[in-house]
Amino acid sequence: MEKEKKDFKERMRAWTMRERKKALPHSIIALAIVLLIMFTEPFWNSVDVPENTRPDNVEHRISMVGDMMTGRHVQDAAEQAGEPLSRVFRYTAPYFHESDYVTGNLEVPVMDDRMDDFDDLLDEYEFDKLIHLYGPLGTIEALQYAGFDSVNFANNHTLDYGTLSFDQTMEHMKGTGIEMVGIGHRLGDETGEIVVEGDEFGEDGFEEDGWGEEGFEDDEFAQDGESDDPAAGGEEDNGGMEDGDAGNEEPARDERTQDEIIEDENMDAARISYHELENGPTIAVLGITDVFYPNFSAGQSYGVFTTSFVGEGTSSSGLELMQQRIREADQNADIVMVHVHWGEEYQVGYNDEQAAMARIMSRSGADVIIGHHSHVLEEVEILSMEAPDGTTNSTLVMYGLGNFVFDQGWTRTKESTLAQLDILDDGSSQVSFIPMNVIDSTPRATQGIMKPYRDWRMFRTLRKNLDRDLWHTEDGRLVVDLDAAGVLDWERNE
């Protein structure tokens, strides 16, 4: 036994001596491999800038993306590379340039960090919260280079620095040609009061006779908040409107330009942004957030459009005004698109509150819901709801488009998509999703030997709640047939 122990120790000592001699060359080899990967990464991880992204049969194209954050490490990476911030759109700008309308969620206020006392101002104005974000002035040049027509500011970071955030954003966005939604000097009419039709809503912003304590209809949602089909169920409520209340008369549109409104310090956070496509439909866009801090809500003073009780001196829920504005947009435009910041960060699938809110928006007349905040991809769903006038409205709900420009590093936060709604020359319509990876804060189409798996993984998430006859894959895209889904009937209404 003693001899065996001695032999074992001798063998271990000999093995240790041999490995010690190999340690240096092995370390050198490992370092060389790491350096090789670092220095060759720009070559093997690069992609060609796409060309001819729009087929000839596309009459009109609307592009939509999720969360964009142009500060923090995104800004650092651009500065270290000696490139402008617009570098983040180098692989996606061609898709935007060949679109008729481009919109996304801007997760930062736009601020001038070149001011001498900028850091002191940040310390003075920062709101009491854990994470504070801002985007430098290069953000505007980047958005202009990419071709954005509008951005949503109704989110949980626009007012991270309070008045400083708001004033700087208004000052620097003026004259850019990029429409802002979800932010304003006030909310409601000229006095800051919210004017809504009817008084059927309870304290939670839902109808007292149709919704339970959690804001869900008692006969559709179990006490644990679970439902197999949030859009299914029995008799629907009418969104706070009696049949016929919407009326046939189109409400007047504010014809002032955004710059004129900013100059007058008179922007309504619930303002509807209209855009007429050449020889095509009129688009209406608005933005609202269900994720916010109490002082973020616009009311009689500046803020963002939130779902909460809004602003000092008002007594109405933002949900009420949201429904009214969607109905107004529905009467003035052919396609109503709503940006909504909602849900939980990094959640797998939407929650019951999002499902209920989506139904409210659909019933009010929303055609497309552009969801963001979770930083990961979420399901796409088609809702068909009965409107107050008895007609049925179908809505494309994109619960979460994920990060588009961001500096988060784990796999799911780097999976993204660019959604493109197309109206084809034969009158049909569809929405397609281009699978993308965010690498070095820069989105680009998936590539390489892992592309089939990555595409399948993303498509599986997006199509999870779609009927099989509504979708197919084509040219590396997930395509959803909006005609078959009953979404966008604007031509039939003409």
Side-chain angles (χ1 to χ4, degrees):
M1 180 67 72
E2 289 297 328
K3 185 181 178 190
E4 290 180 359
K5 289 183 179 180
K6 184 176 180 181
D7 290 344
F8 176 75
K9 290 180 179 179
E10 289 296 331
R11 288 197 302 270
M12 290 299 299
R13 185 179 297 112
W15 180 85
T16 302
M17 293 299 295
R18 288 196 303 270
E19 294 302 317
R20 184 175 297 170
K21 292 178 180 179
K22 297 177 183 178
L24 179 59
H26 285 176
S27 298
I28 294 174
I29 293 172
L31 178 61
I33 293 173
V34 171
L35 292 174
L36 180 65
I37 293 174
M38 290 176 58
F39 286 109
T40 61
E41 187 270 344
F43 299 98
W44 56 260
N45 200 32
S46 64
V47 295
D48 294 330
V49 176
E51 297 179 351
N52 303 319
T53 67
R54 178 167 170 162
D56 293 337
N57 67 331
V58 175
E59 194 76 21
H60 305 289
R61 169 163 283 180
I62 301 169
S63 290
M64 300 158 284
V65 299
D67 294 318
M68 298 183 290
M69 194 282 296
T70 54
R72 208 163 58 183
H73 302 305
V74 177
Q75 180 183 4
D76 293 342
E79 292 176 351
Q80 291 170 7
E83 297 178 319
L85 202 52
S86 58
R87 71 191 289 271
V88 299
F89 295 120
R90 61 162 53 117
Y91 299 118
T92 51
Y95 296 102
F96 299 144
H97 294 166
E98 295 182 352
S99 300
D100 300 297
Y101 190 85
V102 183
T103 188
N105 175 59
L106 189 58
E107 193 90 359
V108 290
V110 180
M111 303 173 70
D112 185 359
D113 58 1
R114 303 169 303 177
M115 296 185 296
D116 293 337
D117 57 348
F118 184 70
D119 290 339
D120 292 336
L121 287 172
L122 293 186
D123 291 339
E124 179 181 350
Y125 283 93
E126 71 176 23
F127 188 73
D128 184 16
K129 62 195 294 280
L130 183 60
I131 298 175
H132 301 81
L133 301 175
Y134 75 86
L137 293 185
T139 301
I140 292 174
E141 296 175 0
L143 293 172
Q144 290 174 323
Y145 159 73
F148 276 83
D149 294 285
S150 68
V151 289
N152 170 66
F153 279 103
N155 56 59
N156 60 314
H157 284 291
T158 295
L159 298 181
D160 279 356
Y161 297 96
T163 307
L164 183 65
S165 295
F166 180 83
D167 291 343
Q168 289 254 311
T169 299
M170 285 292 172
E171 175 186 351
H172 299 305
M173 288 296 292
K174 180 182 176 183
T176 62
I178 302 171
E179 288 279 299
M180 298 183 289
V181 296
I183 186 173
H185 301 88
R186 57 175 174 81
L187 187 69
D189 67 15
E190 297 291 337
T191 66
E193 293 291 340
I194 294 182
V195 179
V196 295
E197 301 173 22
D199 57 358
E200 296 89 349
F201 289 83
E203 293 183 356
D204 58 1
F206 298 99
E207 286 188 83
E208 291 179 346
D209 60 355
W211 299 83
E213 293 181 358
E214 299 299 324
F216 304 110
E217 289 193 56
D218 290 332
D219 62 349
E220 293 187 26
F221 287 88
Q223 291 183 356
D224 60 3
E226 296 180 353
S227 171
D228 292 332
D229 183 3
E235 182 179 354
E236 303 288 351
D237 67 49
N238 62 9
M241 294 280 291
E242 297 297 331
D243 289 346
D245 279 357
N248 297 319
E249 183 179 351
E250 293 186 359
R253 284 169 49 176
D254 188 344
E255 299 298 335
R256 294 177 298 169
T257 66
Q258 176 173 272
D259 289 349
E260 291 173 338
I261 297 173
I262 294 175
E263 186 69 28
D264 294 338
E265 297 185 355
N266 194 29
M267 180 175 287
D268 181 0
R271 173 176 174 262
I272 305 166
S273 174
Y274 291 99
H275 183 91
E276 296 181 5
L277 300 183
E278 184 176 356
N279 299 319
T282 296
I283 302 170
V285 184
L286 61 157
I288 189 167
T289 179
D290 193 43
V291 184
F292 53 90
Y293 292 83
N295 291 350
F296 279 29
S297 298
Q300 291 185 330
S301 61
Y302 75 92
V304 295
F305 189 14
T306 73
T307 57
S308 75
F309 292 101
V310 291
E312 183 178 351
T314 64
S315 59
S316 298
S317 165
L319 285 172
E320 298 176 68
L321 184 58
M322 176 193 74
Q323 292 174 89
Q324 179 174 307
R325 291 300 164 84
I326 292 175
R327 289 193 293 267
E328 177 183 335
D330 189 35
Q331 295 180 55
N332 281 301
D334 302 300
I335 302 175
V336 180
M337 303 168 60
V338 184
H339 276 282
V340 56
H341 212 62
W342 57 1
E344 301 291 336
E345 290 184 324
Y346 322 119
Q347 69 182 7
V348 179
Y350 59 87
N351 58 39
D352 289 335
E353 186 175 346
Q354 288 173 272
M357 190 173 172
R359 292 166 55 203
I360 293 173
M361 290 187 281
S362 177
R363 185 182 296 111
S364 300
D367 297 302
V368 179
I369 296 174
I370 308 169
H372 26 77
H373 174 62
S374 67
H375 302 296
V376 296
L377 293 177
E378 295 184 66
E379 300 98 312
V380 175
E381 189 171 48
I382 304 296
L383 288 181
S384 294
M385 306 298 297
E386 184 177 347
D389 61 2
T391 61
T392 298
N393 184 64
S394 294
T395 305
L396 169 69
V397 185
M398 299 176 288
Y399 283 100
L401 292 181
N403 287 335
F404 196 69
V405 174
F406 233 98
D407 60 0
Q408 293 174 312
W410 52 98
T411 302
R412 292 183 62 234
T413 63
K414 297 172 73 172
E415 294 179 341
S416 183
T417 189
L418 192 166
Q420 295 192 306
L421 190 158
D422 292 337
I423 297 175
L424 308 182
D425 55 13
D426 63 0
S428 63
S429 58
Q430 63 184 31
V431 63
S432 62
F433 298 89
I434 307 170
M436 296 199 165
N437 284 130
V438 182
I439 301 174
D440 190 23
S441 307
T442 303
R444 75 279 305 276
T446 53
Q447 59 175 336
I449 61 174
M450 294 298 292
K451 175 177 172 59
Y453 170 72
R454 288 170 176 161
D455 291 358
W456 172 83
R457 175 185 166 106
M458 294 186 213
F459 291 165
R460 179 184 61 176
T461 296
L462 293 169
R463 61 174 168 77
K464 183 177 177 181
N465 287 350
L466 293 174
D467 292 340
R468 183 60 187 88
D469 59 346
L470 293 182
W471 64 268
H472 67 276
T473 57
E474 180 180 349
D475 297 329
R477 299 178 179 222
L478 175 68
V479 182
V480 181
D481 186 342
L482 295 183
D483 279 2
V487 179
L488 297 190
D489 59 351
W490 67 278
E491 287 190 323
R492 289 187 289 274
N493 286 339
E494 289 184 340

